[in-house]
Amino acid sequence: MSSNTIKIVAFAGSSRQASANAGLIRAAQELAKAYPNVEFEVVTELIGQLPLYDSDLETAKGFTGPVKKLREAIRSADALLIATPEYNYSLPGPLKNAIDWASRPDDATYSSFPTFDKPVAIMGAGGAMGTSRAQYHLRQVGVYLNWHFVNKPEVNVNLWGGKQITDAEGEVVDEPTREQIKSLLEALIQWTGRLSAGKATSTKALKDWSKEELKAALKEQKKKEREEKKSLRKP
Ligand SMILES: Cc1cc2nc3c(=O)[nH]c(=O)nc-3n(C[C@H](O)[C@H](O)[C@H](O)COP(=O)(O)O)c2cc1C
């Protein structure tokens, strides 16, 4: 996180032309423009370009083309936003494949990983359960990657409830759905700020702090939270 700017890298787990999940990500991209401190990059198009993960391929070619692009985009992210479809009660293969490629260490020393330790928000559009089962599987996948998920709000969009959510191109046309995406985006921005403030203070073990230092740190944290909330308000 460079000073006050948060970079969010976002993608959907569907490469389908009129994907509703890609539409959710585009809606988030549009909504993110209201936050001057947020940089928003969408990399959905890379998901369908990745080869199927195979460690022989990794050994022979390393990380090239779309694999490299995805890994570098994720490395540069302060936070991730993912929209997952639900396939057979789980996350779809292309999304899992993308996460598998991105999860690999940079080299045989296993000392650096582009994907680890990120704040992550998830949402999804699908059948009546609004991809909730896929989202829970995605949370499980994130455990090894040390992803720190936003818990609430849960954005479970039901495409089959008789209400038009997206148009023929997959653009979100339903206002309550846009509102939910906006709330999730705000929660991700706040969560990223909180985690980043925590990282800055955790360099010294808490037990070594004097009472005065603790008091000052808490005061500073509260001040940051107030500033964060202020900066979230539309200009
Ligand atoms: C192989 C397959 C399995 C599916 N399984 C589920 C499912 O378990 N739950 C669900 O809600 N929708 C399921 N669907 C329907 C998808 O939710 C729907 O196709 C959705 O629009 C896909 O997301 P997209 O529009 O972003 O591509 C399935 C679709 C396919 C092709």
Side-chain angles (χ1 to χ4, degrees), residues 35-57:
Y35 307 98
N37 59 333
V38 171
E39 188 189 334
F40 198 97
E41 184 183 357
V42 178
V43 293
T44 302
E45 83 282 357
L46 296 174
I47 306 301
Q49 297 171 14
L50 304 170
L52 279 180
Y53 181 80
D54 175 333
S55 58
D56 289 345
L57 187 61

Side-chain angles (χ1 to χ4, degrees), residues 14 16 19-21 85-89 125-127 133 159-160:
S14 172
R16 206 167 65 80
S19 159
N21 286 282
E86 182 170 284
Y87 278 9
N88 298 307
Y89 288 15
R133 292 161 295 213
L159 299 171
W160 303 345

Side-chain angles (χ1 to χ4, degrees), residues 22 35 50-51 95-96 119 142 156 170 178-180 188 232:
Y35 307 98
L50 304 170
L95 177 56
K96 182 63 164 51
N156 301 117
R178 293 179 76 83
E179 283 299 317
Q180 283 186 51
L188 179 62
L232 282 173

Side-chain angles (χ1 to χ4, degrees), residues 160-204:
W160 303 345
K163 192 177 173 197
Q164 190 185 8
I165 306 288
T166 54
D167 66 13
E169 274 82 46
E171 302 303 330
V172 177
V173 292
D174 180 55
E175 200 45 45
T177 300
R178 293 179 76 83
E179 283 299 317
Q180 283 186 51
I181 298 170
K182 185 171 172 243
S183 301
L184 183 67
L185 188 62
E186 287 186 354
L188 179 62
I189 295 166
Q190 284 195 8
W191 183 227
T192 306
R194 274 174 70 182
L195 289 178
S196 143
K199 262 186 196 165
T201 51
S202 66
T203 46
K204 185 174 177 185

